[in-house]
Amino acid sequence: MNFLVVQRILGMLLMLFSLTMLPPIGVSLHFGDGNWQPFFDAFVALLVFGVIAWWPVRKRVRELRLRDGFLVVALFWVVLGIAGSVPLLLSSELDMTITDAVFEAISGFTTTGAIIFPTLHDLPPSVLYYRSQIEWLGGIGIVVLAVALLPMLGVGGMQLLRAETPGPVKDSKLTPRITETAKALWIIYLALTVACGLAYWAAGMTPFDAVAHAFTTVSTGGNSTHDASIGYYDNAVIEMIAVIFMFIGGVNFSLHFLAWRHRRLSDYLRDPEFGAFMRILFVSVALYTLVLWYTRFAHEPGEALRLALFQAVSMQTTSGFVTDNFTHWPGALPVIIILSAFIGGCAGSTSGGMKIVRWLLILKQGQREVNQLVHPSAELPVKLGRKPMDMRVIDAVWGFFAVYVIAFGILMVALLATGEDQVTAFSAIAACMTNTGTGLGEVATNFTSLTDTGKWICVLAMLLGRLEVFPLLVLISPTFWRR
Amino acid sequence: MNFLVVQRILGMLLMLFSLTMLPPIGVSLHFGDGNWQPFFDAFVALLVFGVIAWWPVRKRVRELRLRDGFLVVALFWVVLGIAGSVPLLLSSELDMTITDAVFEAISGFTTTGAIIFPTLHDLPPSVLYYRSQIEWLGGIGIVVLAVALLPMLGVGGMQLLRAETPGPVKDSKLTPRITETAKALWIIYLALTVACGLAYWAAGMTPFDAVAHAFTTVSTGGNSTHDASIGYYDNAVIEMIAVIFMFIGGVNFSLHFLAWRHRRLSDYLRDPEFGAFMRILFVSVALYTLVLWYTRFAHEPGEALRLALFQAVSMQTTSGFVTDNFTHWPGALPVIIILSAFIGGCAGSTSGGMKIVRWLLILKQGQREVNQLVHPSAELPVKLGRKPMDMRVIDAVWGFFAVYVIAFGILMVALLATGEDQVTAFSAIAACMTNTGTGLGEVATNFTSLTDTGKWICVLAMLLGRLEVFPLLVLISPTFWRR
Ligand SMILES: [K+]
Ligand SMILES: [K+]
């Protein structure tokens, strides 16, 4: 393990991250909310801390190796989670416990957007802005992780994305490739955010809300500046903008990259996961619309469609924005909506969940198993699009599925043991592990009612979900630390 | 497809099954409960029906082929389920709907033991006896299915049991092997039942109760003649007898076969699944005891241990007997207990659930995936005991896990759509699909409150669970019916 190289990277990361304290200071001064001091103190503290970590090892520019990747990935989120909580903790106006501050920061960086504040409307604008900015940073972080890093680490079958990704493939050396890919992804991400913000502004949001919501729409984070979320505006145009940009955020950014580089859209249509994403959304919007209309929950078909479209896209992309309290929707809809987040968006997107490509492979492999039973001696390949899949990828996807489900069960039982009821425990872990942030029962609106232990369990769920479980498992495996 | 051979087999099955109407007639006449007529009518009807099905095709003694096995397996349970409901339907005293009668019969044959009667204490003794007898028949049916048939069909990785099973292996011809194996298993099963019944009798049960409970203990069916189940007796000796014979019923009957043939016990100790079964029980008994005692739910450690031991074994073996309403046990225990049934007993036992050997393989393969991430180019075999596993087995187990979980989710959503609350829907499908029969919420004691649609969804869940999902999936796959 190159511990010193890892330390150097984390030191640089802290120094960089300290700079993100500056915009909230500007917001605070502009709105005169009197909350600039904690951000300034955090800026200084994180910068100093970063320098202290970086300076002694600044000459350690050795290449990272594959194995170091796991440590960097896990520490990246953990360290940023803790660093991100600093300005919240320092604010006497917020008066947060350490648990709540870390929960809020991790919830942001993992683009979960689970709310720990009883209400948002008395928060200083600088804090509202900061919450959105964290999700935005987490969003690009996850895209780089999923497009450039996890495929090379081979986590949960993500090596299948390897061929699609841009840049030279140097499997044993991480840095050059990540740097190049990350740069391109940043530009695309930034462009999408600017477009989304301008659209929101044009549709009637204040510039402040437009920026804050653009940050959390493209990142499918789902933090809002209002307690009623996007429902606050009651504006169909704003909802459509949100739907479009959540959808874009839920697509594999490798596809955006290819479309941007080749100046054509056909790459999207040739991608089997993108096709499945479209079909899933179509079916769920149709289903929700029919149920809402058939049960007379919505008074007219247009209203049913508007509610259904927004909620389907918001939950499928694991954004977690709401325009209505879907907990009270009729029949099985609330649970179906929560379950849809388990499928999630495309791999390499800002979305959470298990990712559509994995479900595709599981279904195809399930089908293959059935056919294998009928024809026991046949050799039946599993194909995605026209490409036959390596069995190693399939095994890794099965492994991911099983480990994900088992981890879910364990975390749910742990949360039950803290005294939560079954609906709350199920949907809280679902909301956190899929990085959606929106649950049922006690956690339908926010997570304030959980015990401190319960909040930490949720933090673990958010990290496990965001890191696709395996990097954390690798870190606790004896094999990893041997030698 | 050899449809006529299948018809011949089912005809013979019905004729044989009609004979099982005779003991309840004897019970009815002995107790003078006035309910002998429906059993007699059912006897005649099923016999005639069986002859009508069998006579025209009696010369069709062609060998069954592998593919026919799927049809026979599925039809076996479905046809017996319908046939078993006949005497219930014919009884004017019971006055049951078709839905309830089929639910009761399928619940019996699948050894689920989900109760559809609001109360048991006003049922005629002949019906109480009949309910137990059905579970007993279902128990040996599943053992033969799991030890002799599913391994050859290769369902859900069960080919890994193939090497262990007795008798000559003729992979393409089913009949001779099944006949030979089945005979040995019947003898063992019968001997265990007699031993269990005598023990119950000696411990103070009436002869009637002793027989009825022996039937449902060895078969891990869990039907009782009392509403309070085994709790009715409040007798520690009876509970210990139940624990021992539920445990034996939860062990792979191939092991019983080997132990009986070799006259030694070492085969048990060498079996990795048996070892895991013991360890799981040890951990859960310890956990439940500690929680019950620590929370002062039980007033003394001995009482906590007694409650914990019984419930842990009952639910792990998916028997579903109770001595206490564990729904009200503290903290996460009720959900943990329900979840333990998803693990279930050993493959080749009368227990339901996913089976311990599959969980073992999933965990080992999960561990392998983690190690593979650390050493990407190493060849790491998955071993069970000292035997490296064929990747086809592992893939089939993964497939089973995913299909099981997905089927569970779909059935749960379907039950939610009938208007049940989330706790009821979750635990009803869990109780049915694991063939445990005991749930939480509305279905904690019985399933009477469900809608008719809900009951049929549960029937499907019981069949899917008992048939290990794949045979039913094969039957609805186009590949199976092609040519
Ligand atoms: K989210
Ligand atoms: K049972």
Side-chain angles (χ1 to χ4, degrees):
Chain A
M1 206 66 52
N2 297 327
F3 284 111
L4 298 181
V5 181
V6 172
Q7 182 184 333
R8 184 179 136 263
I9 290 178
L10 292 176
M12 284 168 60
L13 187 70
L14 276 180
M15 293 191 293
L16 262 176
F17 180 64
S18 72
L19 298 178
T20 70
M21 299 296 139
L22 301 179
I25 295 177
V27 171
S28 177
L29 294 176
H30 177 264
F31 286 94
D33 69 5
N35 199 56
W36 65 270
Q37 182 85 43
F39 288 106
F40 182 76
D41 294 350
F43 165 63
V44 175
L46 293 174
L47 188 61
V48 169
F49 216 84
V51 170
I52 290 174
W54 168 76
W55 184 262
V57 291
R58 67 191 181 284
K59 300 270 170 61
R60 299 276 173 164
V61 284
R62 262 205 293 162
E63 284 292 347
L64 271 184
R65 272 170 312 159
L66 218 48
R67 278 176 71 173
D68 307 324
F70 293 102
L71 198 63
V72 171
V73 163
L75 282 178
F76 184 88
W77 257 259
V78 171
V79 168
L80 279 190
I82 294 167
S85 70
V86 172
L88 302 172
L89 274 172
L90 293 178
S91 165
S92 54
E93 199 174 330
L94 295 178
D95 192 26
M96 294 177 87
T97 63
I98 291 181
T99 301
D100 283 4
V102 171
F103 183 100
E104 176 65 34
I106 297 274
S107 159
F109 276 116
T110 57
T111 74
T112 308
I115 302 170
I116 199 69
F117 298 104
T119 174
L120 300 176
H121 84 258
D122 52 5
L123 291 183
S126 57
V127 173
L128 289 174
Y129 169 84
Y130 180 66
R131 295 179 71 233
S132 291
Q133 183 186 275
I134 283 191
E135 288 204 326
W136 188 64
L137 295 170
I140 184 65
I142 201 62
V143 166
V144 171
L145 178 74
V147 172
L149 204 51
L150 292 185
M152 271 184 287
L153 298 179
V155 167
M158 283 304 106
Q159 56 266 54
L160 75 95
L161 295 181
R162 211 182 280 179
E164 340 270 9
T165 43
V169 181
K170 288 205 226 161
D171 269 4
S172 60
K173 294 182 180 177
L174 297 183
T175 329
R177 162 132 178 205
I178 293 175
T179 314
E180 194 204 341
T181 313
K183 213 180 286 173
L185 293 173
W186 256 111
I187 294 170
I188 293 167
Y189 191 67
L190 193 65
L192 286 172
T193 311
V194 171
C196 180
L198 289 175
Y200 275 145
W201 188 33
M205 279 194 190
T206 64
F208 176 76
D209 276 9
V211 170
H213 284 91
F215 277 172
T216 60
T217 307
V218 174
S219 65
T220 67
N223 269 344
S224 174
T225 53
H226 302 286
D227 284 312
S229 186
I230 298 288
Y232 169 86
Y233 304 100
D234 193 14
N235 179 328
V237 177
I238 286 179
E239 290 172 23
M240 271 312 295
I241 296 168
V243 163
I244 290 167
F245 283 94
M246 288 190 289
F247 175 80
I248 293 174
V251 171
N252 189 337
F253 272 67
S254 306
L255 292 177
H256 295 323
F257 178 87
L258 289 177
W260 173 67
R261 183 193 259 176
H262 299 154
R263 301 276 184 279
R264 66 173 187 221
L265 296 175
S266 57
D267 291 309
Y268 291 108
L269 301 177
R270 246 184 280 129
D271 185 57
E273 188 183 27
F274 183 83
F277 187 31
M278 297 285 281
R279 285 195 298 278
I280 291 170
L281 283 177
F282 182 82
V283 169
S284 43
V285 172
L287 174 73
Y288 305 170
T289 305
L290 281 176
V291 173
L292 289 177
W293 169 235
Y294 179 78
T295 59
R296 295 290 178 275
F297 185 89
H299 301 292
E300 41 178 293
E303 189 196 342
L305 177 63
R306 181 176 155 189
L307 287 170
L309 176 65
F310 186 86
Q311 210 58 63
V313 173
S314 171
M315 295 300 280
Q316 191 69 54
T317 59
T318 71
S319 301
F321 280 123
V322 293
T323 52
D324 190 42
N325 186 352
F326 71 85
T327 308
H328 300 128
W329 284 12
L333 282 191
V335 173
I336 292 179
I337 289 174
I338 292 282
L339 289 180
S340 75
F342 278 101
I343 301 176
C346 302
S349 74
T350 60
S351 294
M354 292 194 211
K355 309 295 178 301
I356 289 165
V357 68
R358 290 206 181 93
W359 283 91
L360 264 184
L361 285 175
I362 285 173
L363 290 181
K364 278 173 188 284
Q365 167 72 358
Q367 220 166 11
R368 195 192 79 116
E369 280 298 318
V370 168
N371 293 340
Q372 189 84 76
L373 286 175
V374 181
H375 302 295
S377 46
E379 284 289 339
L380 306 166
V382 175
K383 284 182 184 172
L384 193 66
R386 281 194 211 116
K387 210 166 48 178
M389 287 288 108
D390 183 350
M391 273 317 287
R392 272 221 174 159
V393 170
I394 305 274
D395 286 336
V397 171
W398 285 133
F400 178 83
F401 183 81
V403 164
Y404 195 97
V405 169
I406 294 168
F408 179 86
I410 293 171
L411 290 168
M412 187 181 83
V413 165
L415 197 53
L416 281 167
T418 69
E420 302 303 327
D421 67 88
Q422 289 155 30
V423 174
T424 302
F426 171 82
S427 73
I429 299 298
C432 289
M433 202 159 163
T434 63
N435 301 118
T436 306
T438 305
L440 308 172
E442 287 289 309
V443 294
T445 48
N446 64 54
F447 284 67
T448 18
S449 65
L450 299 185
T451 62
D452 272 7
T453 314
K455 288 171 187 169
W456 284 106
I457 293 167
C458 288
V459 165
L460 183 58
M462 295 188 257
L463 286 172
L464 276 172
R466 188 75 292 182
L467 297 178
E468 318 243 298
V469 190
F470 275 102
L472 289 186
L473 284 187
V474 165
L475 287 192
I476 58 167
S477 80
T479 325
F480 182 74
W481 295 103
R482 215 169 284 152
R483 272 188 327 124
Chain B
M1 206 67 50
N2 296 327
F3 283 112
L4 299 181
V5 181
V6 172
Q7 184 184 331
R8 182 178 139 265
I9 291 178
L10 292 176
M12 285 169 59
L13 187 71
L14 276 181
M15 293 190 294
L16 262 176
F17 180 63
S18 72
L19 299 178
T20 70
M21 298 297 138
L22 302 180
I25 296 178
V27 171
S28 178
L29 295 175
H30 177 264
F31 285 95
D33 69 5
N35 199 57
W36 63 271
Q37 182 86 43
F39 287 107
F40 183 77
D41 295 350
F43 166 62
V44 175
L46 293 175
L47 187 62
V48 169
F49 216 84
V51 171
I52 290 175
W54 168 75
W55 185 263
V57 291
R58 68 192 180 285
K59 301 270 170 60
R60 300 275 175 165
V61 283
R62 260 206 295 163
E63 285 290 349
L64 272 183
R65 272 171 311 161
L66 217 49
R67 276 175 70 172
D68 307 323
F70 292 103
L71 199 61
V72 171
V73 163
L75 283 179
F76 184 88
W77 256 259
V78 171
V79 168
L80 279 190
I82 293 166
S85 70
V86 171
L88 301 172
L89 274 174
L90 292 177
S91 165
S92 55
E93 198 175 330
L94 293 179
D95 192 26
M96 293 177 88
T97 63
I98 290 180
T99 302
D100 283 3
V102 171
F103 183 99
E104 176 65 34
I106 296 274
S107 159
F109 276 116
T110 57
T111 74
T112 307
I115 302 170
I116 199 71
F117 298 103
T119 173
L120 301 176
H121 83 259
D122 51 6
L123 291 183
S126 57
V127 173
L128 290 175
Y129 170 83
Y130 179 66
R131 295 179 71 233
S132 290
Q133 184 185 272
I134 283 190
E135 288 203 328
W136 188 63
L137 295 169
I140 184 63
I142 201 61
V143 167
V144 172
L145 178 74
V147 171
L149 203 53
L150 293 185
M152 272 184 288
L153 299 180
V155 167
M158 283 304 106
Q159 57 267 53
L160 75 94
L161 295 181
R162 208 182 282 178
E164 340 271 7
T165 44
V169 181
K170 290 206 228 161
D171 269 2
S172 59
K173 294 180 179 179
L174 297 184
T175 329
R177 162 134 180 202
I178 292 174
T179 315
E180 194 204 341
T181 313
K183 212 179 287 172
L185 294 173
W186 256 112
I187 294 171
I188 294 166
Y189 192 66
L190 193 64
L192 286 173
T193 311
V194 171
C196 181
L198 290 175
Y200 275 145
W201 188 33
M205 278 195 190
T206 64
F208 176 77
D209 276 10
V211 171
H213 285 91
F215 278 173
T216 60
T217 306
V218 175
S219 64
T220 65
N223 268 344
S224 175
T225 54
H226 302 286
D227 284 313
S229 186
I230 298 288
Y232 170 85
Y233 304 99
D234 193 14
N235 179 329
V237 177
I238 286 180
E239 289 171 23
M240 269 313 294
I241 296 168
V243 162
I244 290 167
F245 283 94
M246 290 190 290
F247 174 80
I248 293 174
V251 172
N252 189 339
F253 272 67
S254 306
L255 292 179
H256 294 325
F257 178 87
L258 289 177
W260 174 67
R261 181 193 260 176
H262 299 155
R263 302 275 184 280
R264 66 172 187 222
L265 296 175
S266 56
D267 291 309
Y268 291 107
L269 300 177
R270 245 185 278 129
D271 185 59
E273 189 184 26
F274 183 83
F277 187 32
M278 298 285 281
R279 285 196 297 279
I280 291 170
L281 283 177
F282 182 81
V283 170
S284 43
V285 171
L287 174 72
Y288 305 172
T289 306
L290 280 176
V291 174
L292 290 177
W293 169 235
Y294 180 76
T295 59
R296 295 291 178 276
F297 186 89
H299 301 294
E300 39 178 295
E303 190 195 344
L305 177 62
R306 182 176 154 189
L307 287 170
L309 176 64
F310 186 87
Q311 210 57 63
V313 174
S314 171
M315 297 300 281
Q316 191 70 53
T317 60
T318 72
S319 302
F321 281 123
V322 293
T323 51
D324 191 42
N325 186 350
F326 71 84
T327 308
H328 299 129
W329 284 12
L333 282 191
V335 172
I336 293 179
I337 288 173
I338 292 281
L339 289 181
S340 76
F342 279 102
I343 301 178
C346 302
S349 74
T350 60
S351 293
M354 292 193 210
K355 309 295 179 302
I356 289 164
V357 68
R358 289 207 182 93
W359 283 92
L360 264 184
L361 286 175
I362 285 172
L363 290 182
K364 277 171 188 286
Q365 168 71 359
Q367 220 166 11
R368 195 192 78 115
E369 280 299 318
V370 168
N371 293 341
Q372 190 83 79
L373 288 174
V374 181
H375 301 295
S377 46
E379 284 290 338
L380 306 167
V382 176
K383 285 182 185 174
L384 194 65
R386 283 196 209 113
K387 211 166 48 179
M389 289 285 106
D390 183 351
M391 273 319 285
R392 271 222 175 159
V393 170
I394 305 275
D395 286 336
V397 171
W398 285 133
F400 178 83
F401 184 82
V403 164
Y404 195 97
V405 169
I406 293 168
F408 179 87
I410 292 171
L411 290 168
M412 188 181 83
V413 165
L415 197 54
L416 280 167
T418 70
E420 302 303 327
D421 67 87
Q422 289 154 29
V423 174
T424 302
F426 171 82
S427 73
I429 299 298
C432 290
M433 202 158 164
T434 62
N435 302 118
T436 306
T438 306
L440 307 172
E442 287 289 308
V443 295
T445 48
N446 63 56
F447 285 67
T448 18
S449 65
L450 299 186
T451 63
D452 272 7
T453 314
K455 288 171 186 168
W456 285 107
I457 293 168
C458 287
V459 165
L460 183 58
M462 294 189 256
L463 285 172
L464 276 173
R466 188 76 290 184
L467 298 178
E468 317 244 298
V469 190
F470 275 103
L472 290 186
L473 283 186
V474 164
L475 288 190
I476 58 168
S477 80
T479 325
F480 182 74
W481 297 103
R482 214 169 286 150
R483 270 188 329 123

